[in-house]
Amino acid sequence: MKVLTTGSRGPQVQLLQLALTRAGYEPGGTDGIFGPRTRRALVQFQAERGLMPDGIAGVRTHAALHPWYTGYAIHTVRSGDSFYRVAQRYGTTLRAVAAANPQADPLNLRPGQRLTVPLDFYVVPSDIDYCSELVAFCCEGISARYPLVERGEIGRSVLGRPLWVLSLGEGENRVLWNAAHHANEWITVPLLLRFTEELARGLAFDTGLGNLEGRARDWMEGTELAVIPCVNPDGMDLVTGDLTSGQAYSAAEEIAGDFPAIPFPRGWKANIRGVDLNLQYPAGWEQAREIKYAQGFNRPAPRDYVGEAPLSAPESLALHHFSLGFDPALTLSYHTQGEVIYWKYLDYHPPGAQEIARRFALVSGYVVEETPYASGFAGYKDWFIQNFNRPGYTIEAGIGDNPLPVSQFDSIYSDNFGLLALSLGVTRS
């Protein structure tokens, strides 16, 4: 986290305001502007926790706010503690504490033992702009609260940001979801994170999955799920205003200057070097280059530049390598916008793929279409279908101009909840 003080702006300020609100203070909303009310709330928080009440969110203050960034605290057991007493102290539930500590014996807690204590709110927020710091906190919080979720990295971005993967379940049916190949389509990041959190909760508590029939464990039976919530963290940070200065920002601004018709930074889709990550896969890459060059995207650009060669961007390369090792039976790649499901690449017809697409359409209300020719090459979905001959889909969520406002999240989530659940086992049916 950055050092934040009066006058700071951006998604990390929103995250600070959210954490203060979760902790019981009143920063005046989550508008991303560090003003007088945010400062007063922060000073009060600092004073009540023995910190220097200077109204500056630095290293020590961020550390103190960590439980409200991630959704969990670490409790050191004292004599007489029980799961119930710990839950009461932190305002959470006995079930949540038990689920977060499956290796602990509730009848034999030892002084000095450390327990993970989930706090009483969703880890994944759905009403603020996202940045790579928030993605990291969400992945950490989900895996801490629900140890059945394994957190890892598939690689690093150009600027060294982790490309997180959350894995859960076991079985021969492997399903892979990814989101935000394109920077200004970042609203798909909380979509996958929130569903993953709800799924993990249902598995840990042995409850249902939303309003769907059956228990979460029934939906996940025989399935291993891998979720890569953000393929393009650098670009997302640029679009949402977390990256506003420095060499990388200046280089992106210079690239954008050659394409004045594309608004900067909100029109940015590429990675921070100006390479469109969803035009990087070895499936008709040469055709994609011919099409995009003819459109004027023959050099680094805010969108539609295919790069110097397939898989020359570290983000696409990382997802490519992970996919080969994971060997999915089905993939979903989330983009925005249009409320469309794309299922086909050239004349490949993976067994059952079209019928699955129709089932996805029924539960989401989205339309099944074939990818337009000008956008029909070098995408992740294209490469997956070509390489594996298995069902792979691009889902274009929401309606409007990218980046879609966070106010659309609830409707997007509602539309895609059943689709995501269905994807977990549709290849088995």
Side-chain angles (χ1 to χ4, degrees):
M1 289 285 287
K2 302 174 182 176
V3 175
L4 302 173
T5 187
T6 301
S8 296
R9 291 173 176 256
Q12 289 200 32
V13 175
Q14 287 183 287
L15 182 53
L16 171 67
Q17 292 168 329
L18 176 66
L20 289 169
T21 301
R22 287 171 167 178
Y25 299 85
E26 297 182 3
T30 54
D31 61 1
I33 302 171
F34 195 130
R37 291 189 64 181
T38 299
R39 187 181 188 282
R40 283 196 297 271
L42 181 59
V43 166
Q44 185 181 358
F45 173 86
Q46 291 170 323
E48 292 179 2
R49 281 160 178 77
L51 300 168
M52 177 71 71
D54 57 7
I56 298 173
V59 173
R60 293 187 65 196
T61 296
H62 287 313
L65 283 164
H66 185 267
W68 293 279
Y69 289 142
T70 60
Y72 77 97
I74 298 296
H75 175 79
T76 302
V77 172
R78 298 177 293 194
S79 179
D81 271 348
S82 64
F83 276 7
Y84 176 78
R85 288 182 178 178
V86 170
Q88 289 291 104
R89 178 177 177 182
Y90 288 87
T92 188
T93 65
L94 176 62
R95 183 168 60 172
V97 175
N101 299 277
Q103 304 305 318
D105 181 354
L107 300 178
N108 188 31
L109 296 180
R110 302 179 305 278
Q113 185 177 358
R114 289 162 63 85
L115 298 177
T116 298
V117 184
L119 303 182
D120 192 24
F121 53 80
Y122 274 107
V123 174
V124 181
S126 59
D127 56 357
I128 63 173
D129 295 341
Y130 267 62
C131 60
S132 55
E133 289 280 1
L134 176 52
V135 175
F137 285 141
C138 289
C139 292
E140 178 185 347
I142 292 170
S143 61
R145 290 164 61 129
Y146 308 106
L148 54 86
V149 179
E150 181 179 349
R151 174 182 53 138
E153 298 178 21
I154 67 168
R156 295 269 172 152
S157 69
V158 170
L159 297 181
R161 291 166 168 79
L163 305 177
W164 298 106
V165 58
L166 296 176
S167 305
L168 63 161
E170 56 184 20
E172 296 182 359
N173 180 51
R174 298 188 181 96
V175 175
L176 190 154
W177 302 338
N178 66 78
H181 269 85
H182 291 148
N184 64 357
E185 299 172 10
W186 63 263
I187 199 170
T188 57
V189 175
L191 170 66
L192 294 192
L193 286 171
R194 173 58 72 87
F195 188 92
T196 303
E197 181 176 8
E198 291 212 34
L199 177 61
R201 179 185 176 91
L203 292 171
F205 294 173
D206 194 22
T207 58
L209 189 56
N211 60 359
L212 303 178
E213 292 185 5
R215 293 183 175 272
R217 65 183 179 184
D218 300 325
W219 289 92
M220 277 293 289
E221 183 179 1
T223 294
E224 181 179 356
L225 172 65
V227 182
I228 293 111
C230 186
V231 180
N232 189 1
D234 301 344
M236 177 180 65
D237 284 354
L238 179 68
V239 170
T240 61
D242 194 53
L243 179 63
T244 57
S245 61
Q247 184 176 356
Y249 178 84
S250 297
E253 191 174 33
E254 184 175 350
I255 289 170
D258 288 340
F259 298 88
I262 301 174
F264 180 77
R266 63 179 290 110
W268 192 276
K269 296 174 64 175
N271 78 350
I272 201 64
R273 286 180 178 157
V275 176
D276 191 316
L277 297 179
N278 206 41
L279 291 170
Q280 269 278 287
Y281 295 93
W285 182 84
E286 291 79 9
Q287 290 96 321
R289 179 178 60 183
E290 180 179 343
I291 292 167
K292 299 306 180 183
Y293 273 36
Q295 295 173 350
F297 298 103
N298 57 1
R299 59 199 185 281
R303 59 179 174 86
D304 290 337
Y305 174 58
V306 300
E308 295 180 355
L311 305 177
S312 56
E315 300 91 346
S316 299
L317 180 64
L319 181 54
H320 170 271
H321 284 353
F322 179 82
S323 301
L324 290 175
F326 187 64
D327 193 26
L330 178 145
T331 65
L332 300 181
S333 299
Y334 265 91
H335 292 255
T336 59
Q337 43 73 36
E339 298 187 346
V340 175
I341 300 167
Y342 295 120
W343 68 279
K344 190 179 177 186
Y345 174 61
L346 296 181
D347 58 352
Y348 289 87
H349 288 82
Q354 188 172 18
E355 176 57 29
I356 291 170
R358 290 170 177 159
R359 293 176 66 183
F360 286 164
L362 284 175
V363 297
S364 65
Y366 286 11
V367 177
V368 177
E369 293 184 0
E370 295 186 12
T371 311
Y373 179 83
S375 303
F377 302 96
Y380 176 82
K381 178 262 294 176
D382 310 323
W383 167 78
F384 178 77
I385 292 173
Q386 172 191 272
N387 195 73
F388 292 88
N389 195 33
R390 298 172 185 164
Y393 304 92
T394 294
I395 314 293
E396 298 280 359
I399 291 288
D401 295 325
N402 293 327
L404 299 182
V406 73
S407 59
Q408 274 204 36
F409 177 84
D410 287 345
S411 62
I412 290 173
Y413 190 65
S414 176
D415 290 342
N416 285 275
F417 193 92
L419 191 161
L420 289 166
L422 184 60
S423 76
L424 295 172
V426 71
T427 57
R428 299 194 307 262
S429 58

